[in-house]
Amino acid sequence: MTSSILNADLHCHSVVSDGTLTPEQLAARAKANGVELWALTDHDEVGGQDRALAAAQAAGMKYLTGVEISITFANKTVHIVGLGFDAHDEQLQKGLLQTRGGRSERAKEMSEGLAKVGIHGAYEGALKYAGNHELISRTHFARFLVETGACQDTNEVFRRFLTEGNPGFVPHRWASLKDAVQWIVQARGMAVIAHPARYGFTPNEEFALFTEFKNHGGQGVEVVTGSHSVAEYVTYADMAKEFDLFASRGSDFHSPSESRIDLGTLPWLPGQLTPVWEALADRIQ
């Protein structure tokens, strides 16, 4: 698996975090869309990994373990994807448990904020959408607000209620960049900066993120991903070369009705980059 012309989708979410499909349904969808190498990367949780591996193998797809860890960097939430690690590593599991720990309190505060503007019962409503109550998130609140008719779609919910300065926004202090990268690396995996264009960093902040990430042992960056534009593929291909990082590709698929890009339907990685799967060849199952 050394070619950049490989239908690898190394970023998606199941009901174990904030997706709407089971790991088995995702595997079937990935296979139907021609995915050759797949990873399930639930938020701060590896509980779906054994199921995803079994489903991938049953479908005849190659598989890499995956997770997406929330961190705080420069006062913003940033996501670090881990690939090819030992999903049963104790230290990694303990770190993820700590990271998940603050979500319930944050969710209750979000619900209180929404109640002040006349949206009641949001915490209980969001819980209905959370397959894993430990991982209740803004996405689950968004689905509840769409269901109740408060908003047309989840994008409107985020814009009006769940982003900074709006009634349902509550910041969360996640793990540090150092913690997240080290949990992944010591579990024999590769740390990857997820969808870097999404954070809205200044050039100096972004340079600091990439530099610190690399210093802690991070090795990859998502170049081709669901939220990047064609121009951003080029920008982050250049960043991958500048920082000598492996390049990753992943749709960030959550749901058939919500996601802009379906599993396995992204453009190829630019050919001048070294794909993450080349470096992780011995971890592919």
Side-chain angles (χ1 to χ4, degrees):
M1 292 206 171
T2 55
S3 169
S4 56
I5 310 296
L6 176 77
N7 197 344
D9 198 319
L10 305 179
H11 188 160
C12 67
H13 300 273
S14 76
V15 291
V16 175
S17 63
D18 61 346
T20 60
L21 303 183
T22 64
E24 293 79 8
Q25 289 169 325
L26 283 171
R29 193 178 187 95
K31 178 66 176 176
N33 288 351
V35 172
E36 297 161 271
L37 174 65
W38 178 52
L40 172 65
T41 57
D42 279 314
H43 289 283
D44 307 312
E45 173 64 271
V46 290
Q49 289 303 303
D50 290 345
R51 288 170 63 186
L53 171 62
Q57 291 182 333
M61 271 187 308
K62 297 292 187 187
Y63 188 75
L64 276 169
T65 50
V67 69
E68 186 174 20
I69 304 177
S70 307
I71 68 151
T72 302
F73 187 88
N75 295 316
K76 289 189 179 175
T77 298
V78 170
H79 291 147
I80 301 296
V81 163
L83 295 171
F85 52 84
D86 171 7
H88 300 281
D89 181 86
E90 235 171 272
Q91 209 173 317
L92 172 66
Q93 290 193 346
K94 201 191 295 182
L96 294 177
L97 183 62
Q98 287 167 359
T99 300
R100 295 196 297 273
R103 283 182 184 263
S104 288
E105 287 312 308
R106 177 189 185 221
K108 287 169 187 167
E109 285 183 51
M110 286 164 63
S111 185
E112 287 163 15
L114 290 167
K116 287 174 185 166
V117 292
I119 297 169
H120 298 283
Y123 177 70
E124 294 74 17
L127 271 184
K128 286 192 308 186
Y129 288 93
N132 180 344
H133 287 190
E134 275 187 359
L135 284 171
I136 186 168
S137 72
R138 292 187 302 168
T139 304
H140 301 124
F141 278 87
R143 288 176 188 146
F144 169 69
L145 266 66
V146 171
E147 178 206 1
T148 57
C151 294
Q152 287 284 306
D153 56 34
T154 54
N155 287 338
E156 187 189 343
V157 180
F158 276 90
R159 194 171 63 248
R160 286 179 54 198
F161 296 107
L162 301 182
T163 47
E164 197 163 357
N166 289 311
F169 177 77
V170 178
H172 184 103
R173 294 295 304 178
W174 304 108
S176 71
L177 176 61
K178 180 181 181 181
D179 285 342
V181 173
Q182 291 188 347
W183 294 337
I184 295 162
V185 170
Q186 60 80 34
R188 295 181 299 124
M190 180 189 290
V192 176
I193 299 173
H195 40 60
R198 271 192 26 195
Y199 308 123
F201 283 139
T202 65
N204 282 348
E205 288 169 334
E206 187 171 75
F207 187 85
L209 170 66
F210 275 72
T211 303
E212 197 175 311
F213 172 76
K214 184 97 195 236
N215 289 343
H216 292 314
Q219 289 184 282
V221 60
E222 278 184 355
V223 173
V224 175
T225 183
S227 55
H228 280 187
S229 66
V230 175
E232 287 160 352
Y233 299 157
V234 176
T235 298
Y236 291 101
D238 288 343
M239 290 289 274
K241 286 185 278 190
E242 182 181 346
F243 284 89
D244 194 23
L245 296 171
F246 296 104
S248 195
R249 174 185 192 261
S251 57
D252 198 5
F253 180 83
H254 284 73
S255 161
S257 60
E258 294 168 16
S259 296
R260 200 163 61 86
I261 302 283
D262 205 347
L263 280 157
T265 62
L266 289 163
W268 305 120
L269 273 183
Q272 73 275 26
L273 303 177
T274 307
V276 291
W277 51 87
E278 219 170 271
L280 291 167
D282 63 334
R283 308 310 310 277
I284 293 170
Q285 301 179 74

